[in-house]
Amino acid sequence: MKKLLLCFLVSASLTACTNQETKPAFDLANAKNEIEAANAAISEIIAKGDSVGMASAFSSDGALMLNNMPSMQGKDKLTTVWGSSIRAGVSKIELSTTEVWGDENYITEEGLYVIKTKDDVQIDKGKYIVLWKKEDGKWKLHRDISNSDLPLATK
């Protein structure tokens, strides 16, 4: 009886081990490609002058942290700040990812940006850090902070 019980337990253990689904390993290189595709989509949204689209690129609790203003969080505030930027002449954003690190839930991206008007006049350039959050199967901007490389304007 003990041998039969032992055989049953070993068999059950082996069956349990083979029936478990294995989660695929996180692929950081693929995630970087997804982030770069999301950045291309952001550039298109800005080119269209779509402040609502820009606000939608953020996670449900995402925040934008720019120079000389408080952190902006929430779809209404994000729509307002992007609308103000678009009305002020921002119509092109070039984003270049330099490094990414993270896991299947959060990716941190470091990169460079150039902001231009519709006439291709550069109005800012600098660097950024974005914390991306996976939300509903898509990478969303969760925390977006940037710093200009241009000197402060003096009066």
Side-chain angles (χ1 to χ4, degrees):
M1 183 68 169
K2 287 183 182 180
K3 285 184 182 180
L4 183 60
L5 184 58
L6 181 62
C7 286
F8 174 75
L9 290 174
V10 169
S11 175
S13 296
L14 291 174
T15 301
C17 289
T18 58
N19 284 340
Q20 290 181 357
E21 291 184 32
T22 55
K23 188 175 171 182
F26 177 68
D27 184 350
L28 187 60
N30 184 58
K32 181 180 180 188
N33 291 336
E34 291 175 4
I35 297 301
E36 288 173 335
N39 282 339
I42 286 169
S43 294
E44 290 176 17
I45 290 168
I46 289 294
K48 291 177 186 174
D50 183 2
S51 60
V52 173
M54 272 308 303
S56 296
F58 283 78
S59 67
S60 58
D61 54 345
L64 177 65
M65 296 173 267
L66 299 176
N67 293 325
N68 307 314
M69 63 189 307
S71 179
M72 294 293 162
Q73 191 169 7
K75 296 295 183 201
D76 290 342
K77 287 182 180 179
L78 290 167
T79 300
T80 298
V81 75
W82 283 110
S84 295
S85 295
I86 291 165
R87 284 188 301 279
V90 171
S91 63
K92 295 181 184 180
I93 293 183
E94 299 168 5
L95 302 167
S96 303
T97 303
T98 57
E99 187 176 359
V100 296
W101 59 96
D103 60 29
E104 64 273 4
N105 299 309
Y106 290 96
I107 295 287
T108 304
E109 174 197 15
E110 182 177 342
L112 304 171
Y113 71 87
V114 176
I115 298 175
K116 296 180 180 180
T117 66
K118 65 180 177 183
D119 300 325
D120 231 21
V121 174
Q122 180 181 299
I123 54 178
D124 197 9
K125 70 175 185 166
K127 62 266 179 210
Y128 64 89
I129 296 280
V130 170
L131 178 61
W132 293 85
K133 180 180 181 181
K134 193 75 154 201
E135 195 171 82
D136 299 326
K138 294 181 181 179
W139 289 110
K140 298 281 194 158
L141 298 156
H142 186 59
R143 296 293 183 269
D144 183 356
I145 187 166
S146 61
N147 302 103
S148 178
D149 287 345
L150 301 180
L152 287 174
T154 56
K155 294 182 181 183

